[in-house]
Amino acid sequence: MKLKEKIVIDFEEFFKSGKFDFLKLGKTKEWIINNFPDPDYFDENQHVYKDDIWRYGNIELHFNKDKLFLIFSDYVDELDGGNSLELKKWFLENTDKLKLSDVISELNKKHIDFNKRKSKIVENAVNLELQSNVQLGFHLEEKENEDNVKFLERCKKTNQDEFRLSSFSLMTK
């Protein structure tokens, strides 16, 4: 659907409530194409409709059997909503403040509860599961010229300030 103005995605609201404008997990591609802006490149290539991943800048909508099951981005440092989404980035605006401790502080200021866990999928990663079911993924950045052995040794001794926000997601449970 073509809209005259961009849809505003407010990340404070998304992290608080899981609301990505009015888009909800479980909606069909057909519903989304009739009620939400078209994904990027839809005008040039109608086959995008058949893809399992629709992109709005570097934010992705993932589908399984034509139903939305995941809203995701791992481009937090350069977050972009493409042609259709205007992003109110909240603390994501300041890419120097994406350390785990900074993000926890921002969440606490807004009274957004969360659980912190080591990632079950990615070694040396931490996830914050927000009360809204939005997941924030953090990872350790390898230092320049650091070999794998030194990196793994550092991981054992690491603190919150070494983990950096690398992704967000909202997924059907």
Side-chain angles (χ1 to χ4, degrees):
M1 176 151 98
K2 281 285 170 212
L3 301 177
K4 291 180 183 177
E5 296 188 25
K6 291 183 175 190
I7 296 281
V8 176
I9 302 298
D10 182 338
F11 276 88
E12 181 180 339
E13 182 63 28
F14 179 55
F15 290 169
K16 261 187 200 174
S17 67
K19 290 183 180 178
F20 197 80
D21 190 53
F22 59 86
L23 198 57
K24 293 186 191 286
L25 299 176
K27 292 294 185 185
T28 63
K29 285 181 177 182
E30 183 177 347
W31 186 91
I32 293 170
I33 213 73
N34 288 313
N35 294 282
F36 199 72
D38 293 338
D40 292 350
Y41 310 111
F42 188 74
D43 287 341
E44 298 93 37
N45 181 3
Q46 298 276 316
H47 286 86
V48 168
Y49 182 84
K50 294 180 182 180
D51 292 346
D52 289 335
I53 299 174
W54 289 1
R55 287 176 180 77
Y56 295 83
N58 51 31
I59 296 173
E60 302 172 355
L61 302 184
H62 290 239
F63 297 89
N64 183 22
K65 298 180 183 170
D66 285 349
K67 289 191 177 179
L68 179 64
F69 79 93
L70 173 67
I71 300 170
F72 173 80
S73 182
D74 57 359
Y75 288 90
V76 175
D77 283 341
E78 51 200 58
L79 201 55
D80 175 26
N83 299 326
S84 304
L85 305 180
E86 178 182 327
L87 306 179
K88 290 177 70 176
K89 296 181 184 179
W90 184 26
F91 68 83
L92 300 175
E93 192 73 52
N94 186 352
T95 58
D96 293 334
K97 292 277 195 174
L98 296 180
K99 294 182 291 189
L100 179 58
S101 57
D102 294 328
V103 173
I104 287 173
S105 177
E106 290 297 325
L107 296 172
N108 285 334
K109 285 179 195 173
K110 298 295 182 176
H111 306 285
I112 299 174
D113 289 334
F114 59 86
N115 290 316
K116 178 181 152 199
R117 295 190 175 94
K118 282 190 170 187
S119 173
K120 296 176 184 174
I121 300 168
V122 179
E123 192 175 348
N124 307 312
V126 172
N127 291 328
L128 295 183
E129 182 178 325
L130 309 185
Q131 66 191 18
S132 60
N133 293 321
V134 171
Q135 301 274 331
L136 302 180
F138 297 80
H139 73 283
L140 283 176
E141 293 181 324
E142 290 189 48
K143 295 181 178 177
E144 203 171 310
N145 300 321
E146 180 178 40
D147 66 30
N148 198 36
V149 173
K150 287 181 183 175
F151 176 70
L152 292 174
E153 198 55 39
R154 184 168 56 90
C155 291
K156 293 176 187 174
K157 303 174 193 171
T158 195
N159 65 44
Q160 290 187 152
D161 284 341
E162 293 186 62
F163 285 94
R164 183 169 171 76
L165 182 62
S166 57
S167 67
F168 64 80
S169 62
L170 178 63
M171 184 171 168
T172 303
K173 288 191 171 197

